[in-house]
Amino acid sequence: MEIKDNEFQRQFETTINNNVLLSVEYSLQERKLFLTRVNMPEGFEDDEVIAEFLKEILAIAEEKRLKVVPVHPKAAAFFKKNPQYKELLPPGIRI
């Protein structure tokens, strides 16, 4: 899965299948990456694709040594389902 970091719009983007655009909006503050919104087309509910997209974003955050704060409910649910990523949460944040 190829991910583009659109710094102008502050979102990670990827296209899947028939040019379906998925994006995750973010805010970057004090070495923390806040995942503020998950954008997907109406009717798109493929949780496996969204999980893979979030895994790739977390790999980017880990590479840049950023802590991740999941603000959007889908991002928070991903952290609940995947406890191996809890080390990316900043101190004091529990999900």
Side-chain angles (χ1 to χ4, degrees):
M1 178 178 292
E2 183 180 332
I3 295 181
K4 177 184 173 195
D5 182 2
N6 187 338
E7 292 178 5
F8 180 70
Q9 291 183 327
R10 291 180 301 179
Q11 65 184 16
F12 294 104
E13 302 172 339
T14 189
T15 54
I16 57 165
N17 297 340
N18 299 322
N19 295 327
V20 175
L21 178 68
L22 296 178
S23 64
V24 174
E25 294 179 15
Y26 67 86
S27 175
L28 190 60
Q29 300 172 9
E30 300 176 7
R31 307 285 305 155
K32 292 183 186 128
L33 181 69
F34 291 80
L35 302 178
T36 57
R37 190 168 183 193
V38 177
N39 298 319
M40 57 191 151
E42 210 171 297
F44 183 83
E45 289 297 324
D46 192 349
D47 289 335
E48 289 181 20
V49 173
I50 294 170
E52 185 64 31
F53 186 35
L54 289 172
K55 285 178 186 178
E56 295 288 332
I57 292 170
L58 294 179
I60 292 169
E62 192 171 27
E63 181 181 305
K64 293 182 179 181
R65 298 180 185 223
L66 299 173
K67 293 295 183 180
V68 179
V69 180
V71 178
H72 193 272
K74 282 206 182 277
F78 174 81
F79 273 89
K80 285 181 185 177
K81 290 179 184 175
N82 299 286
Q84 67 267 27
Y85 292 106
K86 288 194 177 190
E87 72 271 359
L88 291 176
L89 295 172
I93 302 280
R94 293 175 55 194
I95 295 180

